[in-house]
């Protein structure tokens, strides 16, 4: 598991002035990876620093790096992140140390300043090739609240506290932040009707999730033990698993989510590495009286610091707010460590216990990360009690589910005394008509 080193020193400053702003998501202690392109040019791999992107292909050419670092930069100069992800945690730490030194005050500013490009001037894509995507259901408050809506007499199924629940999603419809979200059509069965109808969803929702990217994979037929699972995690992004609740309610039994989920899912553009998150790990605990995880999902490392302390926020801006110049407003807040019943490493160990092979760039969705209170809901389904209790926005508009023209934004950051605050950037999408 990643430990603290000089790259986490909260006093460390960068020669990139915007990286030293107190409220930046991307101080020198963060250094997340993403995929960007200048207008009309090919995709490249970069690292976010303040309001800039360090172009790693240019950086490889503009200054002298140690040979092991140069080899890693050459891998990234392909414009794909996956080859580097496959190299695992040791390679990631080597590059992080080198980039931290190069971007620190006193580093080779003259050589690297020409390798910066403002984030505002580039397009940010899906950060890597996502071969497979699995969505889990680790938010126990979400699972309980949603269970109550779908099955009032039996909200939390008996397997929930024993086995991390998940399903295989669809990677092809994972889109970059900013991509418009087309309202999906599908079958729904209205209450009291004898037959279903097909049409645009009337209950379009978000799901506030974290996305865990796999770094080094495992061979088919082998398992990743829990003690090694952290080394197979590359990093974390924000993830909105857009959901059509009316389609979901009609189709989900007996095999689970299908067309209610796979029309689009949005990822934030920057992958915050497990190293950057090292100061923000928390003990993983179970409430008294709950079953302890089975031995393959339990070890001292996870108990000590398996949880991720990430503050999450959902913001909404309607078309009318946008026209009036009003920024998105927060509609809920939660914390990943409080919301999650399973850790990312447990998901990796469980996913591979049967010999299933994970590959570099695979994405594991956490599931909706709601807190126990209504104001901590990670979905509108919970926030509005299944649509029955709409909320009112500052301009007087009311919402139960998302309307065409609504922009939904997820934000996340980590902070604690003694560490530099880091953030995830934004995960945004605007709903367009069916
Ligand atoms: Ca989900």
């Amino acid at each position: 598991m990643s430990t603290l080193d000089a790259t986490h020193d909260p006093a460390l400053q960068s020669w990139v002035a915007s990286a030293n702003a107190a409220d930046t998501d991307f101080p020198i202690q963060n250094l997340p990876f993403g995929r960007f392109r200048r207008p009309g040019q090919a995709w490249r791999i970069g690292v976010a620093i303040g309001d800039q992107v360090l172009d790693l292909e240019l950086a490889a050419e503009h200054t002298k790096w140690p040979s092991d670092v140069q080899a890693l930069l050459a891998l990234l100069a392909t414009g794909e992140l996956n080859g580097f992800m496959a190299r695992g945690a040791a390679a990631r730490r080597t590059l992080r140390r080198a980039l931290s030194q190069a971007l620190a005050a006193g580093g080779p500013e003259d050589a690297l300043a020409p390798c910066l490009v403002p984030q505002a001037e580039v397009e940010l894509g899906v950060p890597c090739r996502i071969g497979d995507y699995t969505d889990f259901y680790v938010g126990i408050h979400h699972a309980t609240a949603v269970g109550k809506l779908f099955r009032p007499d039996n909200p939390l199924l008996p397997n929930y506290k024993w086995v991390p629940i998940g399903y295989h999603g669809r990677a092809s419809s994972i889109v970059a932040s900013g991509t418009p979200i087309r309202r999906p059509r599908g079958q729904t069965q209205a209450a009291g009707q004898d037959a279903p109808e097909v049409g645009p969803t009337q209950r379009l929702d978000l799901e506030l999730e974290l996305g865990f990217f796999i770094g080094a994979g495992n061979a088919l037929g082998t398992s990743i033990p829990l003690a090694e699972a952290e080394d197979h995690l590359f990093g974390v992004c924000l993830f909105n698993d857009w959901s059509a609740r009316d389609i979901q309610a009609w189709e989900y039994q007996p095999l689970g989510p299908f067309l209610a989920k796979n029309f689009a899912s949005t990822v934030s553009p920057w992958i915050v590495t497990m190293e950057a998150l090292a100061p923000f790990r928390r003990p993983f605990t179970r409430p008294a009286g709950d079953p302890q995880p089975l031995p393959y999902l339990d070890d001292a490392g996870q108990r000590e610091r398996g949880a991720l302390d990430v503050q999450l926020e959902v913001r909404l801006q309607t078309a009318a707010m946008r026209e009036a110049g009003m920024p998105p407003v927060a509609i809920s807040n939660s914390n990943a460590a409080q919301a999650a019943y399973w850790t990312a490493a447990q998901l990796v160990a469980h996913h591979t216990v049967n010999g299933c092979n994970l590959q570099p760039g695979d994405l594991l969705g956490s599931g909706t990360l709601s807190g126990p209170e209504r104001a901590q809901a990670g979905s509108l389904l919970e926030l509005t009690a299944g649509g029955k209790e709409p909320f009112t926005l500052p301009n007087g508009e009311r919402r139960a589910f998302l309307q065409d023209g609504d922009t939904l934004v997820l934000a996340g950051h980590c902070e604690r005394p003694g560490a530099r605050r880091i953030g995830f950037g934004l995960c945004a999408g605007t709903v367009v008509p069916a």
Side-chain angles (χ1 to χ4, degrees):
M1 214 178 269
S2 287
T3 50
L4 300 186
D5 59 31
T7 66
H8 301 99
D9 179 354
L12 197 61
Q13 298 261 305
S14 175
W15 52 261
V16 181
S18 59
N20 303 323
D23 62 348
T24 183
D25 277 353
F26 308 117
I28 191 169
Q29 290 82 359
N30 194 344
L31 303 176
F33 291 90
R35 200 154 170 263
F36 73 97
R37 63 181 168 192
R38 298 174 181 84
Q41 293 191 10
W43 290 106
R44 289 180 173 219
I45 302 302
V47 162
I49 179 79
D51 61 8
Q52 306 286 308
V53 182
L54 178 69
D55 180 328
L56 293 182
E57 185 175 342
L58 286 183
E61 298 162 3
H62 275 63
T63 190
K64 179 88 182 123
W65 303 87
S67 59
D68 55 343
V69 174
Q70 194 72 42
L72 296 173
L73 290 172
L75 209 51
L76 291 163
T78 59
E80 296 278 0
L81 195 53
N82 295 61
F84 174 66
M85 297 173 95
R87 298 290 295 274
R92 219 164 51 232
R93 287 181 200 122
T94 297
L95 187 55
R96 175 178 170 86
R97 270 194 304 275
L99 291 173
S100 177
Q101 287 168 7
L103 289 166
E109 176 175 357
D110 290 348
L112 288 180
C115 309
L116 296 176
V117 55
Q119 288 173 29
E121 291 178 13
V122 300
E123 178 187 355
L124 295 166
V126 173
C128 64
R129 266 182 295 108
I130 302 172
D132 277 302
Y133 151 54
T134 305
D135 200 22
F136 283 92
Y137 200 48
V138 308
I140 189 168
H141 306 293
H142 171 76
T144 305
V146 171
K148 271 183 192 146
L149 293 170
F150 284 83
R151 296 175 304 274
D153 52 337
N154 190 19
L156 200 63
L157 294 171
N159 57 2
Y160 188 85
K161 292 183 176 180
W162 294 99
V163 57
I165 302 296
Y167 71 98
H168 284 122
R170 191 164 182 84
S172 68
S173 52
I174 295 175
V175 298
S177 180
T179 305
I181 303 301
R182 172 100 29 214
R183 177 178 298 276
R185 292 163 50 81
Q187 273 201 29
T188 57
Q189 165 82 298
Q193 297 296 309
D194 292 335
E197 295 179 336
V198 66
T201 177
Q202 301 301 307
R203 291 162 73 87
L204 183 59
D205 201 352
L206 71 124
E207 289 194 335
L208 169 65
E209 305 195 17
L210 290 178
F212 307 117
F213 282 100
I214 299 299
N218 61 301
L220 182 63
T222 69
S223 302
I224 299 173
L226 184 64
E228 294 169 22
E230 292 265 343
D231 278 347
H232 290 263
L233 287 163
F234 182 84
V236 182
C237 71
L238 303 173
F239 187 64
N240 184 352
D241 183 24
W242 305 90
S243 298
R245 301 302 182 191
D246 41 4
I247 298 172
Q248 183 181 359
W250 172 234
E251 75 172 9
Y252 88 104
Q253 287 180 316
L255 282 185
F258 181 36
L259 301 178
K261 300 278 191 174
N262 70 1
F263 58 92
S265 307
T266 305
V267 285
S268 57
W270 299 107
I271 307 180
V272 176
T273 62
M274 297 311 289
E275 286 67 45
L277 291 165
F280 309 104
R281 305 304 296 267
R282 288 285 173 277
F284 160 74
T285 55
R286 279 282 161 85
D290 275 20
Q292 291 304 314
L294 293 177
Y296 80 103
L297 295 175
D298 191 12
D299 72 13
Q302 290 300 303
R303 285 173 185 237
E304 195 182 316
R305 50 200 300 269
L308 278 171
D309 185 4
V310 185
Q311 273 305 126
L312 297 164
E313 185 165 280
V314 181
R315 301 172 189 160
L316 177 65
Q317 181 193 50
T318 67
M321 290 168 67
R322 191 160 48 251
E323 280 154 25
M326 295 171 64
V329 293
I331 57 172
S332 78
N333 287 275
S334 78
N335 180 285
Q338 185 187 26
Y341 198 74
W342 301 98
T343 70
Q346 287 172 326
L347 302 185
V348 169
H350 180 66
H351 205 311
T352 61
V353 69
N354 66 345
C356 176
N357 50 332
L358 298 176
Q359 302 190 81
D362 282 1
L363 180 65
L364 311 185
S366 63
T368 308
L369 295 171
S370 305
E373 309 295 331
R374 176 81 71 93
Q376 299 169 318
S379 71
L380 298 179
L381 191 66
E382 295 157 85
L383 195 62
T384 68
K388 291 195 288 289
E389 297 170 23
F391 59 91
T392 305
L393 289 156
N395 66 351
E397 285 184 282
R398 285 161 68 78
R399 282 291 180 277
F401 290 98
L402 295 170
Q403 300 294 312
D404 292 345
D406 286 356
T407 297
L408 206 290
V409 182
L410 308 182
H413 72 273
C414 303
E415 61 185 334
R416 70 164 181 81
R420 182 69 158 93
R421 175 196 183 281
I422 63 170
F424 286 75
L426 300 176
C427 180
T430 299
V431 179
V432 298

